[in-house]
Amino acid sequence: MGASKKESVEVDKKKNSKKTQPTKKEKHNTEESVLAQKQEDAATDYKELSADDDSEDYKSVGESEAGDGESSGDEGNHKSGSSEGLAIDGQSEDSEPDQGAEESDSSEDEVAPRNTVGDVPLEWYKDEKHIGYDIAGKKIKKKERQDKLDSFLANVDDSKNWLLSPTRPSYLLYLFFSQYLELSYSIVPISVALCEDHELTERGVKSGLVRGMNSGVYFEMSHIGMTYLVLRPSLGDTTFNGSKSRRKIYDEYNDEEVELTKEETKLVRRMLKGKTPHADFDPYAVLGLVRAIRKGFIKFDKPKEEPRFYMLWGDDASSSEKTGHLSYIPAPKPNMPGHEESYNPSLEYIPTQEEINSYQLMDEEDRPKFIPKRFTSLRSIPAYENAVKDSFERCLDLYLCPRVRKKRINIDPESLKPKLPSRKDLRPYPATCYLEYRGHKGAVMSISAEASGQWIASGSSDGTVRLWEVETCRCIKVWEFGEVVQYVAWNPLPELPILAVTVGQDVFLLNSGLGNEEIQRKVKELLHVETPTAPEDSGNKVSGWSWRQDDEHEGIRLRHFKSVYSVEWHRKGDYFSTVMPADILFFHYHLIAVLFLALESIVLCIVMKSIIFHPTRSIFFVSTKKNVRVYDLLKQKLIKKLETGLREVSSISIHPAGDNIIVGSRDGKLCWFDMDLSSKPYKVLKCHPKDITNVAFHRSYPLFASCSDDCTAYVFHGTVYSDLNQNPLIVPLEILRGHASSDGRGVLDCKFHPRQPWLFTAGADSLIKLYCH
Amino acid sequence: MAARKKHSSMVPRKKHYRPPGKKREGNAARYITRSQAIKQLQVTLGFFRRLSILKGIFPREPKKKFKGNNHTYYHVKDVAFLQHEPLLDKFRDIRAYQKKIKKAEAKKNADLATLLRTREPTYKLDKLVRERYPKFVDALRDLDDCLTMVHLFAALPAVERAKIDVELIHNCRRLSHEWQAYVCRTYKLRKVFISVKGIYYQAEIEGQKITWLTPHAMQQILPDDVNFSVMLTFLEFYETLLGFVNFRLYHSLNVKYPPILDPKLEALASDLYALSRYIVSNTRTSTLEPKAASSSTSEQLEAKEKEMQADESELRLAQLQHQLPSNEPGALMHLMEGAECENEDDQDTKECKRLFKNMKFFLSREVPRESLLFVIPAFGGVVSWDGEAAPYKEADQSISHQIVDRPTQGHRYLSREYVQPQWIYDCINARIILPTEAYMVGRIPPPHLSPFVDNDAEGYIPDYAETIKRLQAAARNEVLPMPGVGKEDLDDPQNLLVEGYITRAEANEAAQTKKKMVTLEKQYHEELQSELQGAIMKKSKQGSAEHAKTSEESVPDTKQIAEDIDTMSKLGMSRKKRGLLEAIEKGKERNTARISKLKERKKKLKSSEN
């Protein structure tokens, strides 16, 4: 096949170069054959030209066509008639009759003798649907005009026709198309184009003006105002042949390069394939087809449209397959509109003008986004100006907002609160203010309960220390110091009712004057010290203190070189320690029993807050600003450091069992440390809005308390279990109020009664209160 | 690979040390930022946006935002999901094709350009719909946004610059009408609410509550700061989704989809009516036959028949072809099933169906016709309007209600009632026929309340809601308990949480004891004082005065105690729980503030009236 193609191409070229002058007879021949071919093709259904993807269809069509062309002459005949009829229809009047006659003549002469139209003037059939009768007597119907396109195409492609044709079929095609596309009504007998110049005038276009040109024939049809140039095909000029540039054809006539899309090339090739040899190499054939396709004269069946919608969810039951993809989180639905969004809401939903004005003063974010409005009738509602914007914002939310699946908390707030044992079961605890001790003129700085629980001592900023009887509120004794009393502390031994009082730089050990005569005698003995001896002994060690007998107050006076903050007794009453808020801790041994003051001091260069002794072991706790240090007294070294995590520790207290301590802080937090558990707090209770001034454990009851500058004291239940696996139980029991604030200070001290579950509080309002169960 | 393994086995790697270029772990491995995702997919941001909208991919929140807060994070699997989407390739093809067209245009090759335009590659989204909604119920669940958007676009003008073309809007209109026709025909509509923003509708289909918003039939404003391409991408998906949903719903009614409408009605912009007629005639012809055979003709059917005779005209031809399949025996069986289904309608549907039964409405020109044409038949009413192709004219004597929205009504027929359109909506939400006096022409109708609010949960009940409640009760022949009695019953276990109740009781008790103590204490003090002052004489007089004082003081004291208990219970909570509780309390506070404001306004209004 390939070889034959080549040959024919060669033939083409030959013909081309020679440009043989065909005789008139030959021309007639070609003309006829062309026409015949036209009709024949017209017979084939238009739809078969569809550009379906499978090319096989197409091939078969082409083959059948070819077969037809060879075998059936009669078809060609009657169709030629039809074409003439059409020509008559469209052609300008002057050219019609003779042309028609001529063609019919020639068809009778040469093509198969089956023409049944006869010599009848074609005008007769003008208004009929048929053009004649075939051999069986059936009407031959006129063909539609556009069929010609097809017939023409096929005609061109017919190899037989090709061979017969003296001129290039591509001429015909090109001319045909260029005419067909320009002229709106009819086809000029195109075979004219094949002729020489002089013949042009003879046939068809009588008034045509023809000029010979280099490469083709130029003629003008003045009566329709059209000019045509018939070009000689010159294959050498086109670039169609090269495999790479196959899709570009140079159109000499329009002087432009036509570029074919991939699909077009495919289509054209398919259309020309297997018809004439090398037809698809013929640039003009291709060009013509392409033009026709582009202008839409060759129509292709569109691919069958599937229905856009179908049953997508046929059987839901089967579609439960897992996607194997991340879980889809559906977007939350927009909020439902409330009453206020109604076009006619109840009047109370509409804000007043002042309220609306006040919205303007609000922060942008706080400002309500929707201001209710009222319309008295449906017709008065205007268009909502933010409709599109709202929708757009929703769109943005849908595709831009990160989605997280969050559990909707629909819990009852009560259930959040921890389950605590009923407070009824934890009784007794101090709950109500029972007694008030009045007498101080200034803020009561410190109080201390005597070991028997019968007496309390209080030190105040008015420079007095008072001794009260607990149950009667009676002030037994008053010591005047003339300076602010910082701290008072009873000796923990009931048989030694000695009171330690810190005033400025001094620590006084006072005889309270309580107890029977024997006790009094003992105490007096203890408190009688020879003044000069001790300082000389210890002067070289620590020069910061001195002691002497104080006759005015019947006690001993210890003078420090800095103001003393507090005094703490050892549980046995043998020793006490003093704390100076300035950097250094002095630690005194007071061996009162021997009436001799032996002294050793440990100097720690740490900012001191407060200290306590361990109730059973020889350990003591020193609180610095942020931590609590635990020292062994015997080994005289650091055992442990407790990290409070507080801003500033203010007070510290130890559980009577000795394993738990509580620490109060300046930021109102109370930490419970379990010494066995960790060096971090077991629990932090944020109870006070202001500084905690003091914390205290009860000696026997499982109670502890904290007091603060916010004028309140909290009472907690704190059970420590002997089972190490069980954590201490902490239950807040009561908030005790009653003190008034003065100078921004509230409750300054709190102490438990040594036997009863009672709490003493000392307030800045110069009152001492007793809270009982 | 093997070498690396060997290496790793030899040298024990530290857990947190990651050599440069090695695999990430944790959040950094599971999530990538948007720009990373775009880089990985090799697409532009616009493409990515489009694809993620169509695929329904959304950013996720990693536990730790490894790149900072101002990044959008996508899950790696989500991005991989996008990467394997065939649509991605399709988009690339389309883009390449667009370039071809552009090139042809640039070379002034108009022929080629037009030719190329005719064959642009297209894509379909049906697979995506199926993928995103494996079950029909899933699709229904997510239909809210879809319907709102489609309804909005159905009301928008075609704008060239925003690329909103006429076809799109027509398609939206068609889809929305098809949806409404289905809802209307199957009586699935439940609630309607006219807000300033538009009209909210809520339907219940297959147990799913679907709410959508339609804008008021006005000229919509197109703001400049809206990116329409985003909206159009959403719309593109929504159109497909709604099409398939409609198909499925129509299929369940044995009606062919897409429906073929009477062109005349369509031209008159009463598509909805045309559609509903289409559905009715399509389904009914089929239902009639078996019923006739069983010779049991219900009233409803008769009514329908009448109606049908009235409007069966040019539609007949167009519909005949669709009825053909329904005449087959198989189809008949289907129809029987359909009839059964109707019997199985839930209580709600039955109630809705009966609401406007035996009522005939006529709409004046000025009322929102589309909405009412949708709503009234959805609750069993018959409706006509002023205009061409209306089923019956204004002069029809059987009309029971005429809906008007004008200050005065000139000519009145005595046989019918003239009401404002709000009456219809209020009736629907209340599910009873409300008295029409308040809705007469020229009056300001009573407040229109939202049916989506749970009044009890809200804490504030507008007056009109109470009125409606009473009317409803009356309609049900029930007697409501007097307001204020039933509610505050302390025995109600739901309202009172046991815990809370107990603590409160305890607090009260404590307060009482405290009060006693305080009085005792005072007495004691006083005695002491008097003792000290030696003024025993005045004791009795002062005592009585003090008593009065203490009783006064004790009232805030109880409050104080309750507060104390509250704060103390908070003490033992963990920080997280405390925060939660505080948030809850804040919310409650806000709510009570809102309610108190409403009450205050109401009081003011009342006082100003008086």
Side-chain angles (χ1 to χ4, degrees), chain A residues 261 264 310 312-313 327-328 337 339 342-344 348 355 379 394 399 403 412 432-433 686 737, chain B residues 49 59-60 115 126 130 133 142 145 248 405 422 448 450 455 460 497 517 521 564 571 597 601:
Chain A
T261 62
E264 278 170 350
Y310 55 91
L312 193 63
W313 299 281
S327 66
Y328 173 69
H339 293 315
S342 166
Y343 87 100
N344 179 18
E348 63 260 29
E355 280 172 322
R379 66 177 181 276
R394 174 73 181 165
Y399 91 93
R403 293 188 203 167
D412 172 48
T432 45
C433 180
K686 168 98 181 79
R737 291 162 208 276
Chain B
R49 177 184 298 153
R60 288 174 197 256
L115 180 77
D126 50 349
R130 176 76 196 213
Y133 307 109
D142 241 14
D145 289 319
R248 160 81 195 236
D405 190 10
Q422 196 197 317
H448 180 60
S450 166
N455 277 324
Y460 176 78
L497 283 145
M517 290 288 264
E521 187 192 330
D564 283 359
L571 272 184
K597 194 164 210 178
R601 273 187 207 151

Side-chain angles (χ1 to χ4, degrees), chain A residues 310-360:
Chain A
Y310 55 91
M311 198 66 173
L312 193 63
W313 299 281
D315 38 348
D316 272 358
S318 69
S319 63
S320 60
E321 81 269 10
K322 269 194 173 179
T323 47
H325 183 239
L326 284 176
S327 66
Y328 173 69
I329 304 171
K333 295 196 170 182
N335 285 339
M336 287 293 177
H339 293 315
E340 69 280 356
E341 273 185 50
S342 166
Y343 87 100
N344 179 18
S346 303
L347 280 172
E348 63 260 29
Y349 284 99
I350 300 159
T352 57
Q353 193 55 47
E354 295 133 40
E355 280 172 322
I356 292 170
N357 292 341
S358 72
Y359 292 157
Q360 292 306 315

Side-chain angles (χ1 to χ4, degrees), chain B residues 356-367:
Chain B
F356 291 139
K357 210 172 123 189
N358 303 328
M359 285 186 177
K360 227 170 166 185
F361 295 89
F362 188 82
L363 311 179
S364 287
R365 269 180 296 119
E366 69 279 0
V367 298

Side-chain angles (χ1 to χ4, degrees), chain B residues 582-597:
Chain B
E582 269 159 18
I584 290 172
E585 274 169 2
K586 210 179 250 178
K588 271 184 186 168
E589 221 165 76
R590 209 180 297 133
N591 207 22
T592 48
R594 197 176 54 81
I595 288 164
S596 62
K597 194 164 210 178

Side-chain angles (χ1 to χ4, degrees), chain B residues 408-422:
Chain B
T408 49
Q409 174 71 19
H411 176 72
R412 285 182 191 239
Y413 292 89
L414 290 174
S415 60
R416 66 185 73 159
E417 291 186 78
Y418 288 82
V419 287
Q420 293 195 31
Q422 196 197 317

